[in-house]
Amino acid sequence: GCGYNPAPRAPTAGAIGIWVGPEHRGQGYGAEMLRLMIDHGERWHQGPLSLLTSRDNEAMRRTARAVGAGSVSGSTTCS
């Protein structure tokens, strides 16, 4: 599944979340969801999108790299 939350105190910020059930991992679903959420997120609010994840969430880091996100100072930038 996936979701988007605008930040109520920062109108140009938002949060994208994705999750993939264990039985579906490794099949590209997470990358496709993230790609679609980034595309739609860019239309939902003005300003850059940022993806934050814990340092030990290697699966999310691989997914972010798969959709072309760039790593900047320990955080991940989507656009």
Side-chain angles (χ1 to χ4, degrees):
C2 53
Y4 173 82
N5 261 335
R9 286 177 256 171
T12 61
I16 293 172
I18 65 166
W19 58 98
V20 179
E23 68 277 16
H24 301 292
R25 292 178 185 159
Q27 299 178 46
Y29 296 126
E32 183 62 18
M33 282 190 287
L34 184 56
R35 190 175 296 111
L36 290 169
M37 294 300 292
I38 290 169
D39 289 345
H40 289 288
E42 289 172 343
R43 284 185 251 150
W44 289 331
H45 79 282
Q46 301 297 309
L49 296 172
S50 294
L51 184 144
L52 302 174
T53 188
S54 61
R55 291 184 186 272
D56 63 345
N57 190 343
E58 187 54 38
M60 186 64 229
R61 291 179 177 278
R62 278 193 311 271
T63 301
R65 285 191 296 271
V67 301
S71 181
V72 179
S73 303
S75 64
T76 304
T77 303
C78 297
S79 63

